[in-house]
Amino acid sequence: DGDDEASVFVIALENVLGDDADVTAGDCTTTTRRRKLLTSSSSASLSFDVVVSGDSASDATSDSLAATVNEATTSGTFATALSDAQ
């Protein structure tokens, strides 16, 4: 049902975003597409609610949170956080 996977992502996101972030898993949807019956592709869409409190709250925006997650993804920090959360 994906609950275990979602909790791994929640822990990893909280690790990357810092102690002031509280992350809650939202919906997960998957899509499978077939083209010409020869190839297929699958994708997943995950959503998370993030609440930032404490000292970090005054500076937190959706753009700054996205930039932090993007940087963590690019640098490999998010992959490490996912591995550690398992």
Side-chain angles (χ1 to χ4, degrees), residues 2-85:
D3 289 341
D4 291 339
E5 292 86 353
S7 67
V8 168
F9 271 85
V10 165
I11 292 167
L13 283 169
E14 287 179 339
N15 181 289
V16 165
L17 294 174
D19 293 336
D20 291 339
D22 181 33
V23 179
T24 304
D27 292 333
C28 173
T29 58
T30 57
T31 304
T32 301
R33 295 181 183 178
R34 290 183 179 241
R35 290 186 176 176
K36 299 181 184 176
L37 300 176
L38 297 176
T39 61
S40 65
S41 65
S42 297
S43 64
S45 175
L46 309 170
S47 70
F48 296 90
D49 293 322
V50 178
V51 176
V52 180
S53 58
D55 294 336
S56 302
S58 62
D59 296 327
T61 65
S62 60
D63 288 342
S64 68
L65 294 173
T68 300
V69 172
N70 284 335
E71 173 59 29
T73 301
T74 301
S75 70
T77 304
F78 189 65
T80 300
L82 283 170
S83 180
D84 291 347

